[in-house]
Coordinates of all heavy atoms in Angstrom, one line a residue:
M1 N 0.8 -1.2 0.0 CA 0.0 0.0 0.0 C 0.9 1.3 0.0 O 0.6 2.2 -0.8 CB -0.9 0.0 1.2 CG -2.0 1.0 1.2 SD -3.1 0.7 -0.3 CE -3.8 2.3 -0.5
L2 N 1.9 1.2 0.8 CA 2.8 2.4 0.9 C 3.5 2.6 -0.4 O 3.7 3.7 -0.9 CB 3.8 2.2 2.1 CG 4.7 3.4 2.3 CD1 4.0 4.6 2.8 CD2 5.9 3.0 3.2
I3 N 3.9 1.4 -1.0 CA 4.6 1.5 -2.3 C 3.7 2.2 -3.4 O 4.1 3.0 -4.2 CB 5.1 0.1 -2.8 CG1 6.2 -0.4 -1.8 CG2 5.5 0.1 -4.2 CD1 6.6 -1.8 -2.0
L4 N 2.4 1.8 -3.4 CA 1.5 2.3 -4.3 C 1.4 3.8 -4.1 O 1.3 4.6 -5.1 CB 0.1 1.7 -4.1 CG -0.9 1.7 -5.3 CD1 -0.4 0.8 -6.4 CD2 -2.2 1.3 -4.8
F5 N 1.3 4.2 -2.9 CA 1.2 5.6 -2.5 C 2.4 6.4 -3.1 O 2.3 7.5 -3.7 CB 1.1 5.8 -1.0 CG 0.9 7.2 -0.5 CD1 -0.3 7.8 -0.7 CD2 2.0 7.9 0.0 CE1 -0.4 9.1 -0.2 CE2 1.8 9.2 0.5 CZ 0.6 9.8 0.3
I6 N 3.6 5.8 -2.9 CA 4.8 6.5 -3.3 C 4.8 6.6 -4.8 O 5.2 7.6 -5.4 CB 6.1 5.7 -2.8 CG1 6.2 5.9 -1.3 CG2 7.3 6.2 -3.4 CD1 7.2 5.0 -0.6
L7 N 4.4 5.5 -5.5 CA 4.4 5.5 -7.0 C 3.4 6.6 -7.5 O 3.7 7.3 -8.5 CB 3.9 4.1 -7.5 CG 5.0 3.0 -7.5 CD1 4.4 1.7 -8.0 CD2 6.2 3.5 -8.4
C8 N 2.3 6.7 -6.8 CA 1.3 7.8 -7.2 C 2.0 9.1 -7.1 O 1.8 10.0 -7.9 CB 0.1 7.7 -6.3 SG -1.2 6.6 -6.9
W9 N 2.7 9.3 -6.0 CA 3.3 10.6 -5.7 C 4.4 10.9 -6.8 O 4.4 12.0 -7.2 CB 3.9 10.5 -4.3 CG 3.8 11.8 -3.6 CD1 4.9 12.6 -3.2 CD2 2.6 12.5 -3.1 NE1 4.4 13.7 -2.6 CE2 3.0 13.7 -2.5 CE3 1.3 12.1 -3.2 CZ2 2.1 14.5 -1.9 CZ3 0.4 13.0 -2.6 CH2 0.8 14.2 -2.0
I10 N 5.2 9.9 -7.1 CA 6.2 10.1 -8.2 C 5.5 10.4 -9.5 O 5.9 11.3 -10.2 CB 7.1 8.8 -8.3 CG1 7.9 8.7 -7.1 CG2 7.9 8.9 -9.6 CD1 8.7 7.4 -7.0
G11 N 4.4 9.7 -9.8 CA 3.6 10.0 -11.0 C 3.1 11.4 -11.0 O 3.2 12.1 -12.1
I12 N 2.6 11.9 -9.9 CA 2.1 13.3 -9.8 C 3.3 14.3 -10.1 O 3.1 15.2 -10.8 CB 1.4 13.6 -8.5 CG1 0.1 12.8 -8.5 CG2 1.2 15.0 -8.2 CD1 -0.6 12.8 -7.1
G13 N 4.4 14.0 -9.4 CA 5.6 14.8 -9.6 C 6.0 14.9 -11.1 O 6.2 16.0 -11.6
Y14 N 6.0 13.7 -11.7 CA 6.3 13.6 -13.1 C 5.4 14.4 -14.0 O 5.8 15.2 -14.9 CB 6.4 12.2 -13.5 CG 6.6 11.9 -15.0 CD1 7.9 12.0 -15.5 CD2 5.6 11.5 -15.8 CE1 8.1 11.8 -16.8 CE2 5.8 11.3 -17.2 CZ 7.1 11.4 -17.7 OH 7.3 11.2 -19.0
L15 N 4.1 14.2 -13.8 CA 3.0 14.9 -14.5 C 3.1 16.4 -14.3 O 3.0 17.2 -15.3 CB 1.7 14.4 -14.1 CG 1.0 13.3 -14.9 CD1 -0.3 12.9 -14.3 CD2 0.8 13.8 -16.3
G16 N 3.3 16.8 -13.1 CA 3.5 18.2 -12.7 C 4.6 18.8 -13.5 O 4.5 19.9 -14.1
G17 N 5.7 18.1 -13.6 CA 6.9 18.6 -14.4 C 6.5 18.7 -15.9 O 6.9 19.7 -16.5
K18 N 5.8 17.8 -16.4 CA 5.4 17.8 -17.8 C 4.5 18.9 -18.1 O 4.7 19.6 -19.1 CB 4.7 16.4 -18.2 CG 5.7 15.3 -18.4 CD 5.1 14.4 -19.4 CE 5.9 14.4 -20.7 NZ 5.6 13.4 -21.7
I19 N 3.5 19.1 -17.3 CA 2.5 20.2 -17.5 C 3.3 21.6 -17.4 O 3.1 22.4 -18.3 CB 1.4 20.2 -16.5 CG1 0.6 18.9 -16.7 CG2 0.5 21.4 -16.6 CD1 -0.5 18.6 -15.6
A20 N 4.1 21.7 -16.4 CA 4.9 23.0 -16.2 C 5.7 23.2 -17.5 O 5.7 24.3 -18.0 CB 5.7 22.9 -15.0
A21 N 6.4 22.2 -18.0 CA 7.3 22.4 -19.1 C 6.5 22.8 -20.4 O 6.9 23.6 -21.1 CB 8.0 21.1 -19.4
K22 N 5.3 22.2 -20.5 CA 4.4 22.5 -21.7 C 4.0 23.9 -21.6 O 3.7 24.5 -22.7 CB 3.2 21.6 -21.6 CG 2.8 21.1 -23.0 CD 1.6 20.2 -22.9 CE 1.0 20.0 -24.3 NZ -0.2 19.2 -24.3
K23 N 3.8 24.5 -20.4 CA 3.3 25.9 -20.3 C 4.5 26.9 -20.3 O 4.2 28.1 -20.2 CB 2.5 26.0 -19.0 CG 1.3 25.1 -19.0 CD 0.0 25.7 -18.6 CE -1.1 24.8 -18.8 NZ -2.4 25.5 -18.6
G24 N 5.7 26.4 -20.4 CA 6.8 27.3 -20.4 C 7.5 27.5 -19.1 O 8.3 28.4 -19.0
Y25 N 7.1 26.8 -18.1 CA 7.7 26.9 -16.8 C 8.8 25.9 -16.6 O 8.9 25.0 -17.4 CB 6.7 26.8 -15.6 CG 5.6 27.8 -15.7 CD1 4.4 27.6 -16.3 CD2 5.8 29.1 -15.1 CE1 3.4 28.6 -16.4 CE2 4.8 30.1 -15.1 CZ 3.6 29.8 -15.8 OH 2.7 30.8 -15.8
S26 N 9.6 26.1 -15.6 CA 10.7 25.1 -15.3 C 10.1 23.8 -14.9 O 9.3 23.7 -14.0 CB 11.6 25.7 -14.2 OG 12.2 24.6 -13.5
P27 N 10.5 22.7 -15.7 CA 10.0 21.4 -15.3 C 10.4 21.0 -13.9 O 9.6 20.3 -13.2 CB 10.6 20.5 -16.4 CG 11.2 21.4 -17.4 CD 11.4 22.7 -16.8
K28 N 11.6 21.4 -13.5 CA 12.1 21.0 -12.2 C 11.2 21.6 -11.1 O 10.8 20.9 -10.1 CB 13.5 21.6 -12.0 CG 14.6 20.6 -12.3 CD 16.0 21.1 -11.9 CE 17.0 20.5 -12.8 NZ 18.2 21.3 -12.8
L29 N 10.8 22.8 -11.3 CA 9.9 23.5 -10.3 C 8.6 22.7 -10.3 O 8.0 22.5 -9.3 CB 9.7 24.9 -10.8 CG 8.9 25.8 -9.8 CD1 9.7 26.2 -8.6 CD2 8.4 27.1 -10.5
G30 N 8.1 22.3 -11.5 CA 6.9 21.6 -11.6 C 6.9 20.3 -10.8 O 6.0 19.9 -10.1
V31 N 8.0 19.6 -10.9 CA 8.2 18.3 -10.2 C 8.2 18.6 -8.7 O 7.5 17.9 -7.9 CB 9.5 17.6 -10.6 CG1 9.8 16.4 -9.8 CG2 9.4 17.2 -12.1
I32 N 9.0 19.6 -8.3 CA 9.1 19.9 -6.8 C 7.7 20.2 -6.3 O 7.3 19.7 -5.2 CB 10.1 21.0 -6.6 CG1 11.5 20.5 -6.9 CG2 10.1 21.5 -5.1 CD1 12.6 21.6 -7.1
L33 N 7.0 21.1 -7.0 CA 5.7 21.5 -6.5 C 4.7 20.3 -6.5 O 3.9 20.2 -5.6 CB 5.1 22.6 -7.4 CG 5.7 24.0 -7.2 CD1 5.3 25.0 -8.3 CD2 5.4 24.5 -5.8
G34 N 4.9 19.4 -7.5 CA 4.1 18.2 -7.5 C 4.3 17.4 -6.3 O 3.4 16.8 -5.7
F35 N 5.6 17.3 -5.9 CA 5.9 16.5 -4.7 C 5.3 17.1 -3.4 O 4.9 16.4 -2.5 CB 7.4 16.3 -4.5 CG 7.9 15.2 -5.4 CD1 9.0 15.4 -6.2 CD2 7.4 13.9 -5.4 CE1 9.5 14.4 -7.1 CE2 7.8 12.9 -6.2 CZ 8.9 13.1 -7.0
I36 N 5.3 18.4 -3.4 CA 4.9 19.1 -2.2 C 3.4 19.1 -2.1 O 2.8 18.8 -1.1 CB 5.5 20.6 -2.1 CG1 7.0 20.5 -2.1 CG2 4.9 21.3 -0.9 CD1 7.6 21.9 -2.3
F37 N 2.7 19.5 -3.2 CA 1.3 19.8 -3.1 C 0.4 18.6 -3.7 O -0.8 18.6 -3.6 CB 0.9 21.1 -3.8 CG 1.5 22.3 -3.2 CD1 2.5 23.0 -3.7 CD2 1.0 22.7 -1.9 CE1 3.1 24.1 -3.1 CE2 1.5 23.8 -1.3 CZ 2.6 24.5 -1.9
G38 N 1.1 17.6 -4.3 CA 0.4 16.5 -4.9 C -0.6 16.9 -6.0 O -0.3 17.7 -6.8
W39 N -1.8 16.2 -6.0 CA -2.7 16.5 -7.1 C -3.3 17.9 -7.1 O -3.7 18.3 -8.1 CB -3.9 15.5 -7.0 CG -4.7 15.6 -5.7 CD1 -4.4 14.9 -4.5 CD2 -5.8 16.4 -5.4 NE1 -5.3 15.3 -3.6 CE2 -6.2 16.2 -4.1 CE3 -6.5 17.3 -6.2 CZ2 -7.3 16.9 -3.5 CZ3 -7.6 18.0 -5.7 CH2 -7.9 17.8 -4.3
M40 N -3.2 18.6 -6.0 CA -3.7 20.0 -6.0 C -2.9 20.8 -6.9 O -3.4 21.7 -7.6 CB -3.6 20.6 -4.6 CG -4.8 20.1 -3.7 SD -4.7 21.0 -2.1 CE -3.3 20.2 -1.3
W41 N -1.5 20.6 -7.0 CA -0.6 21.3 -7.9 C -1.0 21.0 -9.3 O -1.0 21.9 -10.2 CB 0.8 20.9 -7.6 CG 1.7 21.2 -8.7 CD1 2.5 20.2 -9.3 CD2 2.0 22.4 -9.4 NE1 3.2 20.8 -10.3 CE2 2.9 22.1 -10.4 CE3 1.5 23.7 -9.3 CZ2 3.4 23.1 -11.3 CZ3 2.0 24.7 -10.1 CH2 2.9 24.4 -11.1
L42 N -1.4 19.7 -9.6 CA -1.8 19.4 -11.0 C -3.0 20.2 -11.4 O -3.0 20.7 -12.5 CB -2.2 17.9 -11.0 CG -1.0 16.9 -10.9 CD1 -1.5 15.5 -11.3 CD2 0.1 17.3 -11.9
L43 N -3.9 20.4 -10.5 CA -5.1 21.2 -10.8 C -4.7 22.7 -11.1 O -5.1 23.3 -12.1 CB -6.1 21.2 -9.7 CG -7.1 20.0 -9.7 CD1 -8.1 20.2 -8.5 CD2 -7.8 19.9 -11.0
V44 N -3.8 23.2 -10.2 CA -3.4 24.6 -10.4 C -2.6 24.7 -11.7 O -2.8 25.6 -12.5 CB -2.5 25.0 -9.2 CG1 -1.8 26.3 -9.4 CG2 -3.3 25.0 -7.9
A45 N -1.7 23.7 -11.9 CA -0.8 23.8 -13.1 C -1.7 23.8 -14.4 O -1.4 24.5 -15.4 CB 0.1 22.6 -13.1
L46 N -2.8 23.0 -14.4 CA -3.6 22.9 -15.6 C -4.2 24.3 -15.9 O -4.5 24.6 -17.1 CB -4.7 21.9 -15.3 CG -4.3 20.5 -15.6 CD1 -5.4 19.5 -15.2 CD2 -3.9 20.2 -17.0
F47 N -4.5 25.1 -14.9 CA -5.1 26.4 -15.1 C -4.2 27.6 -15.2 O -4.6 28.7 -15.3 CB -6.2 26.6 -14.0 CG -7.4 25.7 -14.2 CD1 -7.6 24.6 -13.4 CD2 -8.3 26.0 -15.2 CE1 -8.7 23.8 -13.6 CE2 -9.4 25.1 -15.4 CZ -9.6 24.0 -14.6
L48 N -2.9 27.3 -15.0 CA -1.9 28.3 -15.1 C -1.9 28.9 -16.5 O -2.0 28.2 -17.5 CB -0.5 27.8 -14.8 CG 0.0 27.7 -13.3 CD1 1.3 27.1 -13.3 CD2 0.0 29.1 -12.7
P49 N -1.7 30.2 -16.6 CA -1.5 30.8 -17.9 C -0.2 30.4 -18.5 O 0.8 30.2 -17.7 CB -1.6 32.3 -17.7 CG -1.2 32.5 -16.3 CD -1.6 31.2 -15.5
R50 N -0.1 30.3 -19.8 CA 1.2 30.0 -20.4 C 2.1 31.2 -20.4 O 1.6 32.3 -20.6 CB 0.9 29.5 -21.8 CG -0.2 28.5 -21.8 CD -0.4 27.9 -23.2 NE 0.7 27.2 -23.6 CZ 1.0 26.9 -24.9 NH1 0.2 27.4 -25.8 NH2 2.1 26.2 -25.2
T51 N 3.4 30.9 -20.3 CA 4.3 32.1 -20.4 C 4.4 32.6 -21.8 O 4.1 31.9 -22.7 CB 5.7 31.6 -19.9 OG1 6.2 30.6 -20.8 CG2 5.7 31.1 -18.5
T52 N 4.9 33.8 -21.9 CA 5.0 34.4 -23.3 C 6.0 33.6 -24.1 O 5.9 33.5 -25.3 CB 5.5 35.9 -23.2 OG1 6.5 36.0 -22.2 CG2 4.3 36.8 -22.8
E53 N 7.0 33.1 -23.4 CA 8.1 32.3 -24.1 C 7.4 31.0 -24.8 O 7.7 30.7 -25.9 CB 9.2 31.8 -23.2 CG 10.2 32.8 -22.8 CD 9.7 33.7 -21.6 OE1 8.7 33.3 -21.0 OE2 10.4 34.7 -21.3
A54 N 6.5 30.4 -24.0 CA 5.8 29.2 -24.5 C 5.0 29.6 -25.7 O 4.9 28.8 -26.7 CB 5.0 28.6 -23.4
I55 N 4.3 30.7 -25.6 CA 3.4 31.2 -26.7 C 4.2 31.5 -27.9 O 3.9 31.1 -29.0 CB 2.5 32.4 -26.2 CG1 1.6 31.9 -25.1 CG2 1.8 33.0 -27.4 CD1 0.9 33.1 -24.4
E56 N 5.3 32.2 -27.7 CA 6.2 32.5 -28.8 C 6.8 31.3 -29.5 O 6.8 31.2 -30.7 CB 7.4 33.4 -28.4 CG 7.0 34.9 -28.4 CD 8.0 35.7 -27.6 OE1 9.2 35.3 -27.5 OE2 7.6 36.8 -27.2
Q57 N 7.2 30.3 -28.7 CA 7.7 29.1 -29.2 C 6.6 28.4 -30.1 O 6.9 27.9 -31.1 CB 8.1 28.2 -28.0 CG 8.7 26.8 -28.4 CD 10.0 26.9 -29.2 OE1 10.8 27.9 -29.0 NE2 10.3 25.9 -30.0
D58 N 5.4 28.4 -29.6 CA 4.3 27.8 -30.3 C 4.1 28.4 -31.6 O 3.9 27.8 -32.7 CB 3.0 27.9 -29.4 CG 2.5 26.6 -29.0 OD1 3.3 25.7 -28.7 OD2 1.2 26.4 -29.1
N59 N 4.1 29.8 -31.6 CA 3.9 30.5 -32.9 C 5.0 30.2 -33.9 O 4.7 30.1 -35.0 CB 3.8 32.0 -32.5 CG 2.6 32.4 -31.8 OD1 1.6 31.7 -31.9 ND2 2.6 33.6 -31.2
F60 N 6.2 30.1 -33.3 CA 7.4 29.9 -34.2 C 7.2 28.5 -34.9 O 7.4 28.4 -36.0 CB 8.7 29.9 -33.3 CG 9.9 29.6 -34.1 CD1 10.4 30.4 -35.1 CD2 10.6 28.4 -33.8 CE1 11.5 30.1 -35.8 CE2 11.7 28.1 -34.5 CZ 12.2 28.9 -35.5
E61 N 6.8 27.5 -34.1 CA 6.6 26.2 -34.6 C 5.5 26.2 -35.7 O 5.6 25.5 -36.7 CB 6.3 25.2 -33.5 CG 7.5 24.7 -32.9 CD 7.3 24.0 -31.6 OE1 6.2 23.6 -31.3 OE2 8.3 23.9 -30.8
K62 N 4.4 27.0 -35.4 CA 3.3 27.1 -36.4 C 3.8 27.7 -37.7 O 3.4 27.3 -38.7 CB 2.2 27.9 -35.8 CG 1.1 27.0 -35.1 CD 0.0 27.9 -34.6 CE -0.7 27.2 -33.4 NZ -1.3 28.2 -32.5
E63 N 4.6 28.7 -37.5 CA 5.2 29.4 -38.7 C 6.0 28.5 -39.5 O 6.0 28.4 -40.7 CB 6.0 30.6 -38.3 CG 5.3 31.9 -38.3 CD 6.0 33.1 -37.7 OE1 7.2 33.2 -37.9 OE2 5.4 33.8 -36.9
L64 N 6.8 27.7 -38.8 CA 7.7 26.7 -39.5 C 6.8 25.7 -40.2 O 7.1 25.3 -41.4 CB 8.5 25.9 -38.4 CG 9.9 26.5 -38.1 CD1 10.7 25.5 -37.2 CD2 10.7 26.7 -39.4
A65 N 5.7 25.2 -39.6 CA 4.9 24.3 -40.2 C 4.2 24.8 -41.5 O 3.9 24.1 -42.4 CB 3.9 23.7 -39.2
A66 N 3.9 26.2 -41.4 CA 3.2 26.8 -42.5 C 4.1 27.3 -43.6 O 3.7 27.7 -44.6 CB 2.4 28.0 -41.9
A67 N 5.4 27.3 -43.3 CA 6.4 27.8 -44.3 C 6.3 26.9 -45.6 O 6.1 25.8 -45.5 CB 7.8 27.7 -43.7
P68 N 6.5 27.6 -46.7 CA 6.4 26.9 -48.0 C 7.5 25.8 -48.1 O 8.6 26.0 -47.8 CB 6.6 28.0 -49.0 CG 7.3 29.1 -48.3 CD 6.9 29.0 -46.9
K69 N 7.0 24.7 -48.6 CA 8.0 23.5 -48.8 C 8.4 23.6 -50.3 O 9.2 22.8 -50.7 CB 7.3 22.2 -48.5 CG 6.8 22.1 -47.1 CD 7.9 21.8 -46.2 CE 7.4 21.4 -44.8 NZ 6.8 22.6 -44.1
I70 N 7.9 24.6 -51.0 CA 8.3 24.7 -52.4 C 8.9 26.1 -52.6 O 8.5 27.0 -52.1 CB 7.0 24.6 -53.3 CG1 6.3 23.2 -53.1 CG2 7.2 24.9 -54.7 CD1 7.1 22.1 -53.8
A71 N 10.0 26.1 -53.4 CA 10.6 27.4 -53.7 C 10.7 27.5 -55.3 O 10.4 26.5 -56.0 CB 12.0 27.4 -53.1
N72 N 11.0 28.7 -55.7 CA 11.1 28.9 -57.2 C 12.6 29.0 -57.5 O 13.4 29.6 -56.8 CB 10.4 30.1 -57.6 CG 8.9 30.0 -57.5 OD1 8.4 28.9 -57.8 ND2 8.2 31.0 -57.1
C73 N 13.0 28.3 -58.6 CA 14.4 28.4 -59.0 C 14.7 29.8 -59.5 O 13.9 30.4 -60.2 CB 14.6 27.4 -60.1 SG 16.2 27.6 -60.9
P74 N 15.8 30.4 -59.0 CA 16.1 31.8 -59.4 C 16.5 31.9 -60.9 O 16.5 32.9 -61.4 CB 17.3 32.1 -58.5 CG 17.7 30.9 -57.8 CD 16.7 29.8 -58.1
S75 N 16.8 30.7 -61.5 CA 17.3 30.8 -62.9 C 16.1 30.5 -63.8 O 15.8 31.4 -64.7 CB 18.4 29.7 -63.1 OG 18.7 29.6 -64.4
C76 N 15.4 29.4 -63.7 CA 14.4 29.1 -64.6 C 13.0 29.3 -64.1 O 12.0 29.3 -64.8 CB 14.5 27.6 -65.1 SG 14.1 26.4 -63.8
G77 N 12.9 29.6 -62.8 CA 11.6 29.9 -62.2 C 10.6 28.8 -62.0 O 9.5 28.9 -61.5
K78 N 11.1 27.5 -62.2 CA 10.3 26.4 -62.0 C 10.2 26.1 -60.5 O 11.1 26.5 -59.7 CB 11.0 25.1 -62.6 CG 10.8 25.1 -64.1 CD 9.7 24.2 -64.6 CE 9.4 24.3 -66.0 NZ 10.4 23.9 -66.9
R79 N 9.1 25.5 -60.1 CA 8.9 25.1 -58.7 C 9.8 23.9 -58.3 O 9.7 22.9 -58.9 CB 7.4 24.8 -58.4 CG 6.6 26.1 -58.3 CD 5.1 25.8 -58.7 NE 4.5 25.0 -57.6 CZ 4.0 25.6 -56.5 NH1 4.0 26.9 -56.4 NH2 3.4 24.9 -55.6
I80 N 10.6 24.1 -57.3 CA 11.5 23.1 -56.8 C 11.3 22.9 -55.3 O 10.9 23.8 -54.7 CB 13.0 23.4 -57.2 CG1 13.3 24.8 -56.6 CG2 13.2 23.4 -58.7 CD1 14.8 25.1 -56.7
P81 N 11.7 21.7 -54.8 CA 11.6 21.5 -53.3 C 12.4 22.6 -52.6 O 13.5 22.9 -52.9 CB 12.2 20.1 -53.1 CG 12.1 19.5 -54.5 CD 12.3 20.5 -55.5
F82 N 11.8 23.1 -51.5 CA 12.4 24.1 -50.7 C 13.7 23.5 -50.1 O 13.7 22.4 -49.5 CB 11.5 24.6 -49.6 CG 12.0 25.7 -48.8 CD1 12.0 27.0 -49.3 CD2 12.5 25.4 -47.5 CE1 12.5 28.0 -48.5 CE2 13.0 26.5 -46.7 CZ 13.0 27.8 -47.2
G83 N 14.8 24.3 -50.2 CA 16.0 23.8 -49.6 C 16.9 23.0 -50.5 O 18.0 22.6 -50.2
S84 N 16.5 22.9 -51.8 CA 17.3 22.2 -52.8 C 18.6 23.0 -53.0 O 18.6 24.3 -52.9 CB 16.6 22.1 -54.1 OG 15.4 21.4 -53.9
T85 N 19.7 22.4 -53.3 CA 20.9 23.1 -53.6 C 21.1 23.2 -55.2 O 21.8 24.0 -55.6 CB 22.1 22.4 -53.0 OG1 22.1 21.0 -53.3 CG2 22.1 22.6 -51.5
V86 N 20.5 22.2 -55.9 CA 20.6 22.2 -57.3 C 19.2 22.1 -57.9 O 18.4 21.3 -57.5 CB 21.5 21.0 -57.8 CG1 21.5 21.0 -59.3 CG2 22.9 21.1 -57.2
C87 N 18.9 22.9 -58.9 CA 17.6 22.9 -59.5 C 17.5 21.6 -60.4 O 18.4 21.4 -61.2 CB 17.4 24.1 -60.4 SG 15.9 24.0 -61.4
P88 N 16.5 20.8 -60.2 CA 16.4 19.5 -61.0 C 16.0 19.8 -62.4 O 16.2 19.0 -63.3 CB 15.2 18.8 -60.3 CG 14.6 19.7 -59.4 CD 15.4 20.9 -59.2
E89 N 15.6 21.0 -62.7 CA 15.2 21.4 -64.1 C 16.3 21.9 -64.9 O 16.6 21.3 -66.0 CB 14.1 22.4 -64.1 CG 12.8 22.0 -63.4 CD 12.0 21.0 -64.2 OE1 12.2 21.0 -65.5 OE2 11.3 20.1 -63.6
C90 N 17.0 22.9 -64.4 CA 18.1 23.5 -65.2 C 19.5 23.3 -64.6 O 20.4 23.8 -65.1 CB 17.8 25.0 -65.4 SG 17.9 25.9 -63.8
E91 N 19.5 22.6 -63.4 CA 20.8 22.3 -62.8 C 21.5 23.6 -62.3 O 22.7 23.5 -62.1 CB 21.7 21.4 -63.6 CG 21.1 20.0 -63.8 CD 21.9 19.1 -64.6 OE1 22.9 19.5 -65.2 OE2 21.5 17.9 -64.8
Y92 N 20.7 24.6 -62.1 CA 21.3 25.8 -61.5 C 21.7 25.6 -60.1 O 20.9 25.0 -59.3 CB 20.3 27.0 -61.6 CG 20.7 28.3 -61.0 CD1 21.5 29.2 -61.7 CD2 20.3 28.6 -59.7 CE1 21.9 30.3 -61.1 CE2 20.6 29.8 -59.1 CZ 21.5 30.7 -59.8 OH 21.8 31.8 -59.3
Q93 N 22.9 26.0 -59.7 CA 23.3 25.7 -58.3 C 22.8 26.9 -57.4 O 23.3 28.0 -57.5 CB 24.8 25.6 -58.2 CG 25.3 24.5 -59.2 CD 26.3 23.6 -58.5 OE1 27.1 24.0 -57.6 NE2 26.3 22.3 -58.8
I94 N 21.9 26.5 -56.5 CA 21.2 27.5 -55.7 C 22.1 27.7 -54.4 O 22.5 26.8 -53.8 CB 19.8 27.1 -55.3 CG1 19.0 26.9 -56.6 CG2 19.2 28.0 -54.3 CD1 18.0 25.8 -56.5
G95 N 22.3 29.0 -54.1 CA 23.0 29.3 -52.9 C 24.5 29.3 -53.1 O 25.3 29.7 -52.2
K96 N 25.0 28.9 -54.3 CA 26.4 29.0 -54.6 C 26.8 30.3 -55.1 O 26.2 30.8 -56.1 CB 26.8 27.9 -55.6 CG 28.3 27.5 -55.6 CD 28.6 26.5 -56.6 CE 30.1 26.2 -56.6 NZ 30.4 25.3 -57.7
R97 N 27.8 30.9 -54.5 CA 28.2 32.3 -54.9 C 29.6 32.3 -55.4 O 30.4 31.5 -54.9 CB 28.0 33.3 -53.8 CG 26.5 33.7 -53.7 CD 26.2 34.3 -52.4 NE 24.8 34.2 -52.1 CZ 24.2 34.7 -51.0 NH1 24.9 35.4 -50.2 NH2 22.9 34.6 -50.9
Ligands
LIG101 ZN1 16.0 26.0 -62.5

């Protein structure tokens, strides 16, 4: 019974750290608070506002996901995969100066 209790407590600490990290707070702090306050901290953590860093990180990831995967060749203007070094159409070397 005691082992079960301890396992639960560790689980709460772990979860607290994960929630805190997701919201942009220190995961370590989340774990410590989880150990001290138990499930009450989990409830508080769930309703915590996200930090501006976390929101910015989210926006950055969204922008990355929305970024075009297709680029235009500067030489022939054909659509080529974004990040290509050589145009598959005209063999123009992109980025080489
Ligand atoms: Zn080209």
